[in-house]
Amino acid sequence: MEEKRINEQESLALITRMISQTKQESAIGSGNVFLVWGYLCTFMSLAVFAITLVTKGGGWGWLYLAIPLLGFAIAAIVARRTSKKYNGPTTYQGKSINAIWGVLSSLFGAYAGICLVSTIFNWGDAHVWSGMFLLGLLLPGIGTYATGVILKEGQVQSCGLTGCIIGLFFLREFCNSSAISPSWCLGMALAMVISLVIPGHILNAKAKQANS
């Protein structure tokens, strides 16, 4: 059986339709997931910064461990509600976005496990946890930029790239001092607003526009 060949216009129309479907699939919920993690990380960073200034103690940084517990619980609820709103098939682009965020989340979780084991068995010092802070600054920006590239959303790409640049400045500071200062909490809050909160609102606005 001879395969049907498609011309350039049909190919372009097919690609455009797939991207449009992926935007709908990703925006309905992805924007909300971005907002869940973005606002949670931002508010927690500001809270740690404020409490640290008042108490003059550095142990409040452990409050960051509450982020994954709250984040995954809330994100699961959002994902469940999203699945009821969108019943269409998952596109290749959609699977690619999910895979990218899955890899980044796995890297963050794996390093958290390494830090926990190091603390339990007293391998090294408490500075190993500083690496989680750096991953928290860099990985969301990378994921957001990749999402923007797949969805062909320039604004989302710019937000992700800007978040990565903020993380690189703190990477340089970390290499010089290997210690986290309270100002890092403000940097984390700023990075989360740029890398997650703003893209989340952009995706939701695109979804609302597409549905209307």
Side-chain angles (χ1 to χ4, degrees):
M1 183 176 178
E2 185 178 356
E3 295 183 0
K4 180 181 178 181
R5 296 175 179 267
I6 60 176
N7 56 39
E8 183 177 351
Q9 291 183 345
E10 291 174 332
S11 177
L12 182 60
L14 176 61
I15 294 174
T16 302
R17 185 167 63 251
M18 290 178 63
I19 292 175
S20 178
Q21 182 179 347
T22 305
K23 286 182 179 181
Q24 181 186 15
E25 171 195 344
S26 301
I28 301 176
S30 287
N32 292 335
V33 172
F34 272 57
L35 295 177
V36 167
W37 288 102
Y39 278 120
L40 181 59
C41 293
T42 300
F43 289 147
M44 188 63 71
S45 297
L46 294 176
V48 171
F49 175 76
I51 297 174
T52 301
L53 286 183
V54 173
T55 62
K56 305 299 181 182
W60 293 104
W62 291 99
L63 287 175
Y64 275 109
L65 295 180
I67 292 178
L69 299 178
L70 294 174
F72 281 114
I74 299 174
I77 296 175
V78 171
R80 187 178 306 170
R81 292 181 177 179
T82 300
S83 63
K84 296 179 180 179
K85 295 181 180 180
Y86 181 81
N87 297 317
T90 301
T91 62
Y92 176 78
Q93 289 88 344
K95 292 180 180 179
S96 299
I97 292 174
N98 292 335
I100 290 171
W101 284 103
V103 169
L104 296 180
S105 299
S106 298
L107 288 175
F108 193 83
Y111 188 78
I114 293 173
C115 292
L116 185 60
V117 171
S118 299
T119 301
I120 294 174
F121 293 97
N122 197 26
W123 297 337
D125 54 31
H127 289 312
V128 295
W129 289 95
S130 301
M132 285 192 64
F133 209 100
L134 286 172
L135 290 178
L137 285 165
L138 289 170
L139 295 185
I142 295 173
T144 298
Y145 177 78
T147 300
V149 170
I150 294 175
L151 296 178
K152 296 189 181 300
E153 292 290 348
Q155 292 176 319
V156 176
Q157 294 179 45
S158 299
C159 289
L161 185 59
T162 303
C164 289
I165 293 174
I166 294 175
L168 291 179
F169 277 106
F170 282 93
L171 174 61
R172 176 183 176 277
E173 183 177 342
F174 173 75
C175 291
N176 288 332
S177 63
S178 70
I180 295 177
S181 63
S183 63
W184 282 45
C185 297
L186 293 180
M188 173 68 81
L190 177 62
M192 293 303 101
V193 169
I194 295 176
S195 298
L196 296 175
V197 175
I198 296 177
H201 284 295
I202 292 174
L203 287 175
N204 281 348
K206 296 290 184 180
K208 184 177 180 181
Q209 183 181 3
N211 291 334
S212 62

